[in-house]
């Protein structure tokens, strides 16, 4: 095999490399030979007994160690060729077919799916991934936490306190006050940094998952879906409407392919892709019409999109509208806290400077010029520390944290329930949704189509009754199905049943053709030439093809699509015997009745029509005939409703959320499905509830606004009709959620307050335009989003009640105490401990409450906050009194945390055993409080309490339970409550 080369000497690794190449090419080319034969023959074929390969020797002097035969190409030049859309560069390589050959790709079989080939391509050309900036480290979150102004002031005060106290009392006794403040600050900062770090990692993970889309490629002769990250150079990618182009490449074949390049060029016009004028395809752009196949020439960072993406990073610190509003609330409360702290500072300074304060020995602390400077400075530090600590407690930093924790927790749980949130704001907005506009196919139904009825003329044909179909009609039906499709039939060697790919509708019709009509799709395509294609889109609701048999003298126009549309194009129809009969008005009405009857049984009705013309005079790029066609037949496709969808619709309606179904099906099919799903009731008057898209768009603006609330089903709708409905609903004050899966749904998804796309059947354009992706395409998952959205708001309400109670109580206690006695009973360490409870642990405990069924029994408006409760003052001796106040204060928060679980329900313990984390945090808080009071007297400036005093503290704290229970009997006016303003989503 190797001629003219002596391999007895030389480098061993070069000899091994040559041997490896020989084995590799034998394997890869053998596979290609097998699959080429498979494409020609539909039955199982035996591979040839041997394959002769002429492997040329490699001159070690002319090739480096990294050379491989099929990669003998300038990678940068190939990449620039597509980026710059250079025809000169394309011609230098000899055109698209020559580049396909250079990249060792077979136009029909694609590349080999074995790991060796894939790895070689990745090693040389790179992977289809983009470089991302390094994630923020944990230390960066720690530094950010330390940048807080109040934290810096506290640390400065702590350092000064350490200096003066150690100088005055010595290292052994003087470090307690300053050291305890430092420890408390470090603890608060650490917990805050840990929480933010974990949420950042989770958001990054969700970002990666939302970028991992599926594309369809040809490997080993079969179409198969793979991750966009697995696409390699030389890959053949199949493109259809709505797909995102995964890499840079060249157009191989297809029909009517148009691409939206606005993401790269900024131009909104759709660019036509073809071999002659523009074969260049750029990654990141989206297919808007037609279908085709492309050859991948560069991936990842070598593409134009890769260069752009390397400069763009997703903002993982995005603030939701609720967080923005709560930040404003935090700012207002902080200003009140600053005012109170300033007043406390002034009162304490006046009392100190007027000699009204005493030291531990009962002597006046300030005696004018007789007082030492160190003593004055130490007193100033103590007073300033007390004031600053009040500010720390007053500012509710826990509000944004609680929102973040709630969103993160709900996002994680929703992911487990087949829901991926792409935008944080959507999660909270969904909680206030008043209307859901849902698609039918795949959302309310299973999207598993099957042909259950076939009508030939006015006669129904039984399943697999080929003898009842005339041969000429059978041949035309086989052509109309097998050639007018973007689906494919692949017959693997090792399996008896063929693999059928394509959309659910295409797959169902192809399956019917293969199994019921005994159609050989591969042979059919080999003996016919496709002259022109009109691709299906949502506006035309039909697709057509112009074909000619090889060597034939006639051309056939085949149309397939919505039955009413195709019927309107027909002047004749075939009867069972194979003869053509003219279609008059009476017969047209009879066919209309057949279509209505199928639709009433929830069947999607598809019609086939045909016309024959002479091949003479064809000039290429012919338009398809749209009149004077002959009806070939009608098929009815059954798509059953999803299990549980009726209960999900009822759940939404019980929650005060209106469900509107918008579909492209005819009005009879739409009505039947709506009744089956529970959107409509069969006994009610459906005159105003069901409307067609053309009727809706022809209403005047005033008529639409009057009728919009009563409409629950819109049939035969266009993308514009869906958008118009969303706009009308928003103008009437509704918070609108829209589900969609196609490119035609993009305008409505963007216009809606919450856009929900389908993860399985949804196009990449639809997913990119949405806020939430329903991974299982199930309407039940939409209800899950609604429940969790309401839960987010509910948990935030709980936390606001809990925290504002703490803030008011802390400010009132210290201000009243400072004004009346000149002392602050709650020390810096004690207040920081309280701040830790309410900011971090409280947020964590209340943010992890799961949604309950009660949330789905309330209307979607009127979220309120009840008034908070105060606290009593318990007085004993000085040292014990301060400890009792501190202890009662903390225990009140512990007991009040139970009240915060249920804002409106009298039973605050309902479902408490389901939240183990809540109970664990409550128990841990109580244990730490006991340790603070009983064992850390010097550190925490407390005094040990006896059993009676502990009982008094617990009794005072427990009063919050009966008080909260009684308060819930009092009707509260909405004017007396804290309310959230209605949320209006920003324009996309």
């Amino acid at each position: 095999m190797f001629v003219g080369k002596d391999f007895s000497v030389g480098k061993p690794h070069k000899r091994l490399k040559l041997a490896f190449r020989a084995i590799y090419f034998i394997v890869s080319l053998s596979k290609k030979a097998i699959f080429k034969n498979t494409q020609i023959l539909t039955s199982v074929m035996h591979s040839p007994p041997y394959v002769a390969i002429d492997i040329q020797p490699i001159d070690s002097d002319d090739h480096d160690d990294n050379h491989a035969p099929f990669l003998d190409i300038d990678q940068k030049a190939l990449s620039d060729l597509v980026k710059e859309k250079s025809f000169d560069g394309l011609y230098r390589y000899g055109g698209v077919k020559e580049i396909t050959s250079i990249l060792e790709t077979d136009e029909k079989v694609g590349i080999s799916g074995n790991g060796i080939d894939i790895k070689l391509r990745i090693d040389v050309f790179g992977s289809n991934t983009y470089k991302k900036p390094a994630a923020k480290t944990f230390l960066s979150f720690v530094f950010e936490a330390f940048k807080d102004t109040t934290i810096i002031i506290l640390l400065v005060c702590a350092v000064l306190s350490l200096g003066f106290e150690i100088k005055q009392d010595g290292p052994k006794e003087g470090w307690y006050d300053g050291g305890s403040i430092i420890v408390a600050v470090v603890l608060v900062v650490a917990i805050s940094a840990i929480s933010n770090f974990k949420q950042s990692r989770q958001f990054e993970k969700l970002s990666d998952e939302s970028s991992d889309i599926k594309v369809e490629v040809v490997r080993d002769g079969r179409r198969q879906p793979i991750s966009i990250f697995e696409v390699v150079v030389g890959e053949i990618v199949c493109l259809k409407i709505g797909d995102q182009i995964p890499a840079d490449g060249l157009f191989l074949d297809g029909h009517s392919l148009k691409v939206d390049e606005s993401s790269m060029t900024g131009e909104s016009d759709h660019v036509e892709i073809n071999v002659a004028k523009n074969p260049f395809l750029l990654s990141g752009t989206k297919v808007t019409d037609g279908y085709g196949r492309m050859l991948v020439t560069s991936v990842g960072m070598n593409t134009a999109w890769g260069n752009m993406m390397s400069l763009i990073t997703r903002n993982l610190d995005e603030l939701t509208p609720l967080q923005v509003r709560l930040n404003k609330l935090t700012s207002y409360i902080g200003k009140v806290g600053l005012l109170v702290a300033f007043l406390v500072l002034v009162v304490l300074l006046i009392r100190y400077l007027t000699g009204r304060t005493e030291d531990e020995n009962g002597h006046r602390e300030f005696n004018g010029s007789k007082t030492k400077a160190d003593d004055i400075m130490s007193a100033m530090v103590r007073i300033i520390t007390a004031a600053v600590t009040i500010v720390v407690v007053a500012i509710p930093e826990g509000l944004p944290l609680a929102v973040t924790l709630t969103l993160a927790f709900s996002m994680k749980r929703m992911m487990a329930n087949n829901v991926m949130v792409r935008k944080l704001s959507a999660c909270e907005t969904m909680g206030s949704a008043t209307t859901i506009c849902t698609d039918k196919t795949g959302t309310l139904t299973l999207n598993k189509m099957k042909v259950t009825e076939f009508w030939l003329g006015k006669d129904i044909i039984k399943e697999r009754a080929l003898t009842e179909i005339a041969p000429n009609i059978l041949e035309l039906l086989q052509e109309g199905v097998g050639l007018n499709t973007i689906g494919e039939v692949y017959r693997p060697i090792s399996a008896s049943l063929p693999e059928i790919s394509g959309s659910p509708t295409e797959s169902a019709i192809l399956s019917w053709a293969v199994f019921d009509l005994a159609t050989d799709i591969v042979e059919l395509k080999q003996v016919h030439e496709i002259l022109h294609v009109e691709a299906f889109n949502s506006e035309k609701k039909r697709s057509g093809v112009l074909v000619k048999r090889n060597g034939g003298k006639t051309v056939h126009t085949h149309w397939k699509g919505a039955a009413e549309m195709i019927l309107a194009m027909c002047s004749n129809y075939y009867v069972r015997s194979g003869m053509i009969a003219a279609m008059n008005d009476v017969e047209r009405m009879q066919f209309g009745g057949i279509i209505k009857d199928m639709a009433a049984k929830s069947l999607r009705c598809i019609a086939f029509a045909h016309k024959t013309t002479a091949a003479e005079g064809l000039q290429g790029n012919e338009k398809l005939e749209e009149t004077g066609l002959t009806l070939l037949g009608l098929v009815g496709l059954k798509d059953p409703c999803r299990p549980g969808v009726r209960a999900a619709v009822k759940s939404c309606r019980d929650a005060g959320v209106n469900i509107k179904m918008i579909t492209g099906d005819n009005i009879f099919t739409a009505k039947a499905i709506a009744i089956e799903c529970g959107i409509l009731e069969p006994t009610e008057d459906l005159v105003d509830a069901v409307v067609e898209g053309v009727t809706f768009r022809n209403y005047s603006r005033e008529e639409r606004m009057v009728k919009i609330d009563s409409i629950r089903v819109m049939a035969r709708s266009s993308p514009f009709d869906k958008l118009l409905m969303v706009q009308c609903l928003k103008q009437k004050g509704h918070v609108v959620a829209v589900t969609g899966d196609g490119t035609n749904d993009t305008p409505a998804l963007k216009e809606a307050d919450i856009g929900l796309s389908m993860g399985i059947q949804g196009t990449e354009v639809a997913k990119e335009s949405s806020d939430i992706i329903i991974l299982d395409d199930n309407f039940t998952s939409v209800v899950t989003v609604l429940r969790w959205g309401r839960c987010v708001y509910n948990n935030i309400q709980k936390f606001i009640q809990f925290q504002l109670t703490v803030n008011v109580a802390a400010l009132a206690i210290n201000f009243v105490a400072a004004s009346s006695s000149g002392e602050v009973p709650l020390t810096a360490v004690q207040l920081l401990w309280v701040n830790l409870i309410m900011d971090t642990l409280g947020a964590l405990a209340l943010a992890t409450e799961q949604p309950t069924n009660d949330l789905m029994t309330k209307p979607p408006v009127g979220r309120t906050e009840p008034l908070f409760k105060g606290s009593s003052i318990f007085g004993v001796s000085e040292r014990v009194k301060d400890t009792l106040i501190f202890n009662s204060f903390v225990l009140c928060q512990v007991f009040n945390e139970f009240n915060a679980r249920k804002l409106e329900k009298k039973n605050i313990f309902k479902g408490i055993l389901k939240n183990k984390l809540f109970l664990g945090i409550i128990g841990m808080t109580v244990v730490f409080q006991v340790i603070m009071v009983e064992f850390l007297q010097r550190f925490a400036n407390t005094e040990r309490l006896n059993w009676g005093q502990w009982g008094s503290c617990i009794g005072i704290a427990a009063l919050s339970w009966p008080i909260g229970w009684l308060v819930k009997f009092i009707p509260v006016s909405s004017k007396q409550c804290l309310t959230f303003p209605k949320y209006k989503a920003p324009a996309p």
Side-chain angles (χ1 to χ4, degrees):
M1 292 170 60
F2 304 101
V3 181
K5 194 72 177 178
D6 181 9
F7 294 104
S8 59
V9 293
K11 296 180 181 179
H13 72 277
K14 288 191 175 182
R15 295 197 298 272
L16 288 173
K17 178 175 289 186
L18 185 59
F20 166 77
R21 288 174 184 155
I23 295 170
Y24 167 72
F25 281 113
I26 289 171
V27 173
S28 62
L29 292 180
S30 295
K31 280 194 171 186
K32 291 178 182 179
I34 292 172
F35 283 109
K36 282 181 180 178
N37 290 332
T38 305
Q39 295 296 319
I40 298 173
L41 301 176
T42 58
S43 59
V44 178
M45 300 294 295
H46 296 289
S47 60
Y50 63 89
V51 178
I53 307 294
D54 181 16
I55 299 181
Q56 297 298 325
I58 298 174
D59 189 348
S60 60
D61 297 329
D62 298 332
H63 296 77
D64 58 34
D65 291 343
N66 293 324
H67 177 75
F70 71 97
L71 298 173
D72 193 9
I73 188 171
D74 188 339
Q75 299 177 38
K76 186 178 185 303
L78 185 60
S79 176
D80 292 341
L81 180 152
V82 177
K83 289 180 190 176
E84 300 169 5
K85 297 188 175 182
S86 171
F87 277 96
D88 291 339
L90 185 60
Y91 293 148
R92 279 198 297 270
Y93 280 110
V96 177
K97 291 187 180 297
E98 186 61 30
I99 293 177
T100 304
S101 177
I102 292 172
L103 293 175
E104 287 294 328
T105 302
D106 187 288
E107 286 191 37
K108 300 296 183 183
V109 177
I111 65 171
S112 172
N114 69 70
I116 298 175
D117 185 25
I118 302 298
K119 186 176 186 306
L120 279 172
R121 294 175 188 270
I122 292 175
D123 289 343
V124 177
F125 290 101
S127 63
N128 199 30
T129 55
Y130 307 123
K131 292 180 181 177
K132 296 192 301 183
K136 293 173 67 175
T137 63
F138 174 72
L139 287 178
S140 65
F141 287 99
V142 173
F143 290 144
E144 285 182 5
F146 270 115
K147 289 179 183 178
D148 187 89
T149 305
T150 54
I151 293 295
I152 294 173
I153 295 174
L154 273 176
L155 288 175
V156 171
C157 292
V159 171
L160 293 176
S161 177
L162 275 174
F164 290 116
E165 294 294 334
I166 290 175
K167 182 178 180 181
Q168 182 176 348
D169 300 327
K172 189 174 182 180
E173 302 287 339
W175 70 273
Y176 289 121
D177 288 343
S180 60
I181 294 175
I182 291 175
V183 171
V185 166
V186 169
L187 189 59
V188 171
V189 167
I191 292 178
S192 176
I194 290 171
S195 173
N196 290 333
F197 176 73
K198 290 182 67 177
Q199 304 322 318
S200 174
R201 286 292 182 268
Q202 182 173 353
F203 294 152
E204 286 179 357
K205 182 180 178 182
L206 289 175
S207 175
D208 292 339
E209 290 176 349
S210 65
S211 302
D212 186 9
I213 63 178
K214 295 294 182 182
V215 296
E216 199 170 55
V217 301
V218 179
R219 289 184 179 179
D220 292 332
R222 58 184 293 193
R223 285 166 61 165
Q224 51 189 288
I226 64 171
S227 167
I228 189 174
F229 303 131
E230 298 174 3
V231 172
V232 296
V233 169
E235 198 92 70
I236 291 180
V237 180
C238 303
L239 302 173
K240 62 182 182 299
I241 295 177
D243 282 350
Q244 176 177 312
I245 296 176
D248 286 359
L250 297 167
F251 177 76
L252 282 176
D253 53 55
H255 294 279
S256 307
L257 187 65
K258 289 185 179 181
V259 173
D260 178 6
E261 295 186 351
S262 59
S263 59
M264 295 297 300
T265 64
E267 299 292 336
S268 58
D269 293 338
H270 296 169
V271 179
E272 186 172 351
I273 305 296
N274 52 51
V275 174
K277 297 180 180 180
N278 181 22
F280 307 105
L281 292 158
L282 301 175
S283 63
T285 58
K286 297 176 176 65
V287 179
T288 59
D289 199 4
Y291 60 92
R293 299 193 309 155
M294 68 172 284
L295 172 72
V296 175
T297 56
S298 51
V299 294
M301 298 305 296
N302 295 323
T303 64
W305 182 256
N307 292 339
M308 183 187 299
M309 290 300 292
S310 65
L311 305 175
I312 301 174
T313 57
R314 184 177 178 184
N315 181 19
L316 297 176
D317 299 324
E318 122 186 58
L319 292 179
T320 70
L322 177 59
Q323 285 175 313
V324 172
R325 292 199 298 272
L326 289 180
N327 283 341
K328 291 181 180 179
L329 176 61
T330 300
S331 176
Y332 295 146
I333 297 175
K335 290 175 183 177
V336 174
L338 282 172
L339 177 62
V340 173
F342 176 75
L343 293 175
V344 169
L345 177 65
V346 171
V347 169
L348 293 180
L349 282 175
I350 291 174
R351 294 186 66 88
Y352 174 77
L353 295 175
T354 55
R356 296 189 179 184
T357 58
E358 299 176 348
D359 58 19
E360 295 178 354
N361 300 320
H363 303 132
R364 292 177 58 181
E365 286 189 294
F366 183 74
N367 294 304
S369 58
K370 298 179 182 180
T371 308
K372 295 180 181 179
D374 288 350
D375 293 340
I376 295 176
M377 188 60 70
S378 179
M380 292 298 106
V381 170
R382 187 178 68 251
I383 292 171
I384 292 172
T385 302
V388 171
T389 307
I390 289 175
V391 176
V392 174
V393 177
I395 298 176
E397 298 98 338
L399 284 177
L401 176 62
V403 176
T404 302
L405 288 173
T406 302
L407 289 173
F409 179 74
S410 62
M411 286 169 67
K412 185 176 181 181
R413 295 303 297 268
M414 281 195 286
M415 180 64 80
N417 290 318
N418 298 309
V419 175
M420 184 173 73
V421 179
R422 296 183 68 250
K423 296 180 183 177
L424 290 178
S425 58
C427 189
E428 63 190 47
T429 310
M430 193 66 186
S432 57
T434 60
T435 301
I436 299 176
C437 297
T438 179
D439 194 12
K440 176 187 74 70
T441 305
T443 308
L444 299 175
T445 60
L446 288 171
N447 204 19
K448 293 181 179 178
M449 299 284 192
K450 182 182 179 182
V451 174
T452 58
E453 284 190 17
F454 171 51
W455 288 76
L456 179 53
K458 302 173 187 176
D459 300 321
I460 188 169
I461 306 298
K462 296 180 180 179
E463 188 177 0
R464 300 196 178 187
L466 291 179
T467 56
E468 297 184 27
I469 305 175
N472 63 322
I473 299 178
L474 180 61
E475 182 179 353
L476 289 173
L477 279 172
Q478 291 173 337
E479 287 182 10
V481 174
L483 301 177
N484 186 14
T485 182
I486 60 172
E488 284 194 5
V489 177
Y490 169 72
R491 194 180 295 274
I493 296 174
S494 59
S496 58
L497 294 177
E499 295 178 1
I500 299 174
S501 61
S503 68
T505 302
E506 294 279 1
S507 298
I509 296 176
L510 280 174
S511 297
W512 172 68
V514 170
F515 296 109
D516 287 26
L517 303 183
T519 306
D520 189 330
I521 302 294
V522 175
E523 182 182 3
L524 197 65
K525 290 183 177 180
Q526 288 173 351
V527 298
H528 286 83
E529 179 186 359
I530 296 178
L531 304 175
H532 186 69
V533 172
E534 288 285 343
F536 178 89
N537 64 40
S538 58
E539 294 181 2
K540 296 182 297 185
K541 299 189 184 303
R542 65 180 187 266
S543 64
V545 64
L546 187 67
V547 300
K548 181 171 75 75
R549 179 177 278 273
N550 295 340
K553 296 182 180 181
T554 58
V555 294
H556 298 279
T557 298
H558 285 281
W559 284 102
K560 173 186 70 178
E564 306 99 304
M565 306 286 188
I566 301 299
L567 185 63
M569 300 163 63
C570 295
S571 303
N572 308 288
Y573 67 96
Y574 279 100
V575 297
R576 184 194 291 263
S577 63
M579 302 298 291
I580 297 178
M583 186 184 299
N584 56 35
D585 291 341
V586 174
E587 290 171 325
R588 192 178 298 276
M589 290 180 62
Q590 290 175 341
F591 280 112
I594 293 172
I595 295 171
K596 290 180 182 179
D597 289 341
M598 282 198 285
K601 292 182 282 188
S602 304
L603 299 181
R604 171 179 285 185
C605 194
I606 303 294
F608 298 91
H610 160 265
K611 187 173 185 178
T612 302
T613 55
E616 298 176 359
L618 287 178
Q619 299 175 355
N621 296 325
E622 299 290 334
K623 290 293 183 181
L624 273 68
E625 294 281 352
E626 298 187 9
T627 57
L629 281 82
T630 302
L631 183 67
L632 277 173
L634 303 168
V635 293
L637 289 81
K638 179 67 176 178
D639 185 13
C641 284
R642 287 182 179 272
V645 72
R646 189 177 183 89
V649 169
K650 183 178 183 302
S651 179
C652 287
R653 296 180 70 172
D654 291 343
V657 180
N658 299 314
I659 306 296
K660 299 182 185 296
M661 187 180 82
I662 305 175
T663 178
D665 285 341
N666 66 51
I667 195 167
F668 304 102
T669 304
K671 191 184 299 183
I673 291 291
I675 291 174
E676 192 175 346
C677 294
I679 296 175
L680 298 175
E681 295 297 331
T683 56
E684 65 180 319
D685 184 8
L686 303 180
V687 175
D688 295 328
V690 183
V691 68
E692 285 191 330
V694 63
T695 305
F696 181 76
R697 82 177 76 111
N698 290 330
Y699 284 148
S700 66
R701 183 182 182 280
E702 292 73 20
E703 285 180 304
R704 280 196 294 267
M705 297 304 287
V706 169
K707 297 183 177 183
I708 188 70
D709 286 328
S710 60
I711 295 173
R712 277 178 283 160
V713 174
M714 186 160 68
R716 283 289 177 239
S717 63
S718 69
F720 174 77
D721 298 329
K722 196 169 188 177
L723 174 64
L724 190 60
M725 175 168 277
V726 174
Q727 291 172 337
C728 291
L729 287 167
K730 290 180 68 176
Q731 289 170 12
K732 290 209 72 172
H734 289 275
V735 179
V736 185
V738 169
T739 71
D741 58 3
T743 306
N744 56 304
D745 295 320
T746 300
L749 288 170
K750 288 184 176 180
E751 179 69 22
D753 295 303
I754 315 103
L756 302 103
S757 63
M758 302 297 110
I760 299 174
Q761 292 298 326
T763 64
E764 295 310 317
V765 178
K767 293 177 186 177
E768 191 67 27
S769 304
S770 65
D771 308 304
I772 296 173
I773 298 177
I774 306 299
L775 299 177
D776 61 354
D777 291 14
N778 195 338
F779 186 80
T780 305
S781 298
V782 178
V783 181
T784 300
V785 180
L786 182 63
R787 286 164 57 91
W788 276 105
R790 293 190 172 193
C791 184
V792 167
Y793 260 111
N794 196 249
N795 287 348
I796 299 304
Q797 288 176 301
K798 296 173 185 178
F799 184 76
I800 287 178
Q801 173 186 298
F802 169 65
Q803 191 173 55
L804 291 185
T805 305
V806 178
N807 286 7
V808 172
L811 291 175
I813 290 173
N814 271 7
F815 180 70
V816 172
S819 301
S820 59
S821 65
E823 296 181 0
V824 179
L826 301 177
T827 66
V829 174
Q830 293 171 348
L831 286 176
L832 285 172
W833 165 241
V834 172
N835 191 58
L836 176 64
I837 293 175
M838 69 180 184
D839 270 3
T840 305
L841 299 181
L844 184 60
L846 293 172
T848 54
E849 287 283 338
Q850 298 186 29
T852 62
N853 293 330
D854 294 338
L855 293 173
M856 298 299 287
T857 60
K858 303 174 184 177
V861 291
R863 296 174 294 274
T864 60
E865 285 294 327
L867 295 172
F868 49 79
K869 299 167 282 294
S871 178
S872 325
I873 298 178
F874 189 85
V876 282
S877 60
E878 190 70 22
R879 181 91 174 180
V880 175
K881 180 194 71 174
D882 291 344
T883 303
L884 284 173
I885 292 174
F886 168 62
N887 200 35
S888 299
F889 183 67
V890 171
L891 292 178
C892 276
Q893 310 322 313
V894 173
F895 278 78
N896 191 41
E897 203 157 354
F898 287 86
N899 284 333
R901 289 189 67 252
K902 301 290 182 183
L903 301 181
E904 300 173 357
K905 299 296 180 181
K906 299 178 181 64
N907 183 6
I908 60 177
F909 304 104
K910 184 178 180 180
I912 195 170
L913 296 179
K914 295 181 180 179
N915 194 341
K916 302 295 192 298
L917 185 58
F918 179 89
L919 295 174
I921 290 176
I922 292 294
M924 184 174 63
T925 303
V926 172
V927 170
F928 285 157
Q929 179 64 18
V930 172
I931 294 173
M932 289 277 288
V933 172
E934 296 297 321
F935 303 102
L936 299 177
Q937 293 95 346
R938 289 189 175 182
F939 179 79
N941 198 22
T942 58
E943 188 69 29
R944 298 188 69 172
L945 302 179
N946 57 37
W947 288 105
Q949 291 166 340
W950 269 103
S952 299
C953 292
I954 293 173
I956 292 172
L959 286 175
S960 63
W961 283 355
I963 291 173
W965 184 74
L966 291 172
V967 165
K968 289 171 184 174
F969 282 93
I970 304 173
V972 182
S973 170
S974 60
K975 294 182 180 180
Q976 296 174 296
C977 301
L978 296 171
T979 61
F980 284 106
K982 277 189 177 180
Y983 168 62
K984 182 178 180 182

